[in-house]
Amino acid sequence: MLRGPALLLVLRRAARGGPAHGRHCRRQQKREQSSGSGSGSGSGSGSGSGSARPQPLEPSLLRFLVCPLSKRPLRYEEATNELINEELGIAYPIIDGIPNMVPEAARRTHKKPPAEGSEHS
Amino acid sequence: LWLWRCRCRALLSRPAGAPRARRGLAAGPEMHFGFQTVTEEERREKIYQVFENVAKKYDVMNDSMTLGIHRVWKDILMHKMNPCPGTLLLDVAGGTGDIAFRFINYVRSVQQRQLQRKLKHHQNLSWQEIFESYQKDKFNSLGDSQVVVCDINREMLKVGKQKAQHLGYSEGLSWVLGNAEELPFDDDKFDVYTIAFGIRNVTRIDLALQEAYRVLKPGGRFLCLEFSHVSNPLLSRLYDLYSFQVIPVLGEVIAGDWKSYQYLVESIRQFPPQEELKAMIEDAGFFKVDYENLNFGIVAIHSGFKL
């Protein structure tokens, strides 16, 4: 599965068509993974400290939130409690009611690969 | 004592440093973390850890380090902003919510005063009308004002959210985890953008300023409250003495974390002075950029408008 800096590289290229800055996010990605939040695990269940179900997002926030990479609107997916960017095929988790809008935390939503056409999935 | 002398010497004979690095532009991979030289990646990592460690004791430390004066500084910032009901505020690096809560209080009191003034002018209201006006007030105590708190550190946001629950703030307040250099907000959305004691920790200040410009509405205001440089030489010596001798010790005693507070005082020294920051803000496209020194330059409020 495409992960880490490679993932970010592809996403940023798809978002802006310019050079990617994925490399410097490698450590943050590792830390995000090791702390059990965000990428890979999808919804907030991994880091929830005893809460039965993930807290929903404040509805007024949806007016402002866009994908930090492409600045395009997001779709709120209630089932997995994520904010999904259809174009880039990524999902940002919402943990404890706080949306995690850093690109390193985004998860690939196995729908379709971004335009750059990577063979990994 | 020898250690102190070494540190003071390091402070006094501060290297000229790569000016581009000081201005927050990555001049190659070398950047400063306090007085150390690190790569951009390491800097982000270290700063994240600093705030992860201090999050729970952040407010206590603020009070003890500044002897409570930080509250006054933040109040002054709020008065300078003078928001009216209906204002949309984005508070970046707002972790524990100090600015956000002050904003809500301010707007609520302005709304109350407006309501009272309105009632005073309508002297012959019937009881029904008075009742209705209070009804409206209940649903609209903030007058549609909203504040979004954005921070890159999850621990700080958690502390902030708990504080909000504890103090009873719920309406008009939202929390987002995001990077100041890459904000997850659409263009031309916010009336005011504030960053209080946060821009010092941003690795690419120029990007953060550009993002600030992007998300502000035309006519929107940029406000930055940050530690700055003291020009008065005597005061500067006293301030240095206090910073390097007292603050890390307080950090160790109260938060059990010497190094984070050592980083704090060092990062204040490395941060660009008032005029330089003003130039950077102008570079990002802001107009009518100005700054106000508080406490002889220990803290400065920079302000700019998107016109």
Side-chain angles (χ1 to χ4, degrees):
Chain A
M1 177 162 175
L2 199 62
R3 275 195 185 277
L7 167 67
L8 274 162
L9 211 76
V10 169
L11 288 175
R12 285 181 201 265
R13 211 177 282 150
R16 283 187 233 127
H21 304 280
R23 298 243 163 248
H24 72 269
C25 305
R26 186 202 309 256
R27 282 210 191 165
Q28 196 147 351
Q29 171 77 342
K30 278 210 192 117
R31 184 188 48 246
E32 289 283 335
Q33 283 177 346
S34 63
S35 67
S37 65
S39 84
S41 55
S43 66
S45 50
S47 64
S49 47
S51 54
R53 54 185 165 78
Q55 292 179 28
L57 181 67
E58 180 103 24
S60 53
L61 255 187
L62 281 169
R63 277 198 289 152
F64 311 120
L65 283 179
V66 295
C67 172
L69 291 169
S70 63
K71 313 295 185 201
R72 304 298 279 269
L74 298 162
R75 180 173 63 83
Y76 175 55
E77 177 68 55
E78 201 162 327
T80 53
N81 206 27
E82 287 176 336
L83 291 162
I84 302 189
N85 181 339
E86 299 286 4
E87 292 172 337
L88 293 177
I90 48 177
Y92 297 94
I94 299 173
I95 302 169
D96 293 335
I98 303 176
N100 193 337
M101 309 301 296
V102 286
E104 295 81 7
R107 173 184 77 88
R108 288 281 299 277
T109 56
H110 312 272
K111 294 263 176 75
K112 63 178 199 300
E116 280 299 302
S118 67
E119 66 277 21
H120 310 284
S121 178
Chain B
L1 190 63
W2 174 81
L3 200 63
W4 296 135
R5 287 221 192 89
C6 271
R7 287 196 192 278
C8 286
R9 207 169 292 136
L11 165 68
L12 293 169
S13 63
R14 190 163 40 142
R20 282 174 70 198
R22 276 189 50 167
R23 283 185 67 134
L25 301 169
E30 298 286 287
M31 302 213 77
H32 56 80
F33 175 77
F35 289 156
Q36 302 169 35
T37 308
V38 295
T39 62
E40 200 172 294
E41 185 186 316
E42 283 174 351
R43 189 173 193 267
R44 282 179 214 272
E45 172 87 22
K46 281 175 174 272
I47 290 176
Y48 192 94
Q49 277 173 1
V50 163
F51 284 94
E52 201 173 30
N53 292 340
V54 308
K56 296 216 166 66
K57 290 284 171 66
Y58 186 73
D59 292 321
V60 175
M61 273 305 296
N62 279 350
D63 275 331
S64 40
M65 284 192 299
T66 62
L67 308 170
I69 305 177
H70 74 106
R71 295 165 189 250
V72 178
W73 292 331
K74 288 169 183 162
D75 288 337
I76 294 177
L77 178 71
M78 200 43 55
H79 276 90
K80 199 175 167 93
M81 191 197 300
N82 195 16
C84 56
T87 301
L88 233 56
L89 170 66
L90 174 63
D91 184 23
V92 176
T96 50
D98 279 341
I99 302 291
F101 301 151
R102 279 173 172 76
F103 173 79
I104 293 177
N105 290 340
Y106 196 98
V107 155
R108 214 177 262 161
S109 69
V110 171
Q111 183 78 342
Q112 285 282 61
R113 259 184 287 136
Q114 278 182 359
L115 183 67
Q116 280 171 5
R117 225 177 290 148
K118 211 164 53 163
L119 285 180
K120 256 204 285 196
H121 284 145
H122 298 119
Q123 289 299 326
N124 296 321
L125 287 178
S126 68
W127 282 116
Q128 182 65 22
E129 283 170 303
I130 295 178
F131 174 71
E132 270 166 13
S133 76
Y134 278 113
Q135 283 276 328
K136 229 178 4 162
D137 175 45
K138 200 164 49 142
F139 293 132
N140 213 6
S141 64
L142 285 183
D144 293 326
S145 321
Q146 258 195 298
V147 52
V148 179
V149 179
C150 179
D151 199 296
I152 198 171
N153 194 299
R154 175 174 302 288
E155 293 303 313
M156 296 289 279
L157 283 175
K158 259 179 29 190
V159 171
K161 225 172 167 206
Q162 281 170 8
K163 240 171 74 176
Q165 275 177 352
H166 189 64
L167 296 169
Y169 293 99
S170 55
E171 206 189 325
L173 176 61
S174 328
W175 309 84
V176 175
L177 200 152
N179 188 344
E181 299 166 8
E182 206 165 20
L183 288 173
F185 301 109
D186 211 354
D187 302 1
D188 303 332
K189 275 277 176 290
F190 293 96
D191 294 309
V192 188
Y193 173 110
T194 52
I195 181 164
F197 301 119
I199 202 164
R200 199 178 70 250
N201 303 309
V202 170
T203 306
R204 291 285 305 269
I205 297 180
D206 52 336
L207 291 182
L209 292 173
Q210 282 169 29
E211 281 290 277
Y213 190 84
R214 182 181 66 80
V215 301
L216 275 174
K217 282 187 201 160
R221 188 171 198 181
F222 169 87
L223 283 166
C224 168
L225 175 68
E226 190 54 81
F227 288 109
S228 203
H229 286 242
V230 181
S231 39
N232 180 318
L234 173 63
L235 230 65
S236 176
R237 296 276 281 307
L238 288 172
Y239 179 44
D240 287 343
L241 212 73
Y242 181 76
S243 297
F244 285 91
Q245 310 286 22
V246 178
I247 289 183
V249 177
L250 276 179
E252 182 59 42
V253 167
I254 297 180
D257 193 347
W258 176 291
K259 284 172 94 163
S260 296
Y261 287 91
Q262 185 69 29
Y263 159 73
L264 170 77
V265 295
E266 289 177 359
S267 67
I268 294 175
R269 297 303 174 296
Q270 292 287 62
F271 190 67
Q274 287 86 329
E275 282 295 324
E276 212 175 311
L277 183 61
K278 178 175 168 196
M280 289 169 79
I281 297 174
E282 282 168 346
D283 284 344
F286 290 99
F287 288 98
K288 281 202 61 85
V289 181
D290 203 7
Y291 63 85
E292 184 188 332
N293 276 339
L294 303 177
N295 289 125
F296 300 102
I298 294 182
V299 163
I301 299 181
H302 282 74
S303 161
F305 290 90
K306 173 175 178 173
L307 297 173

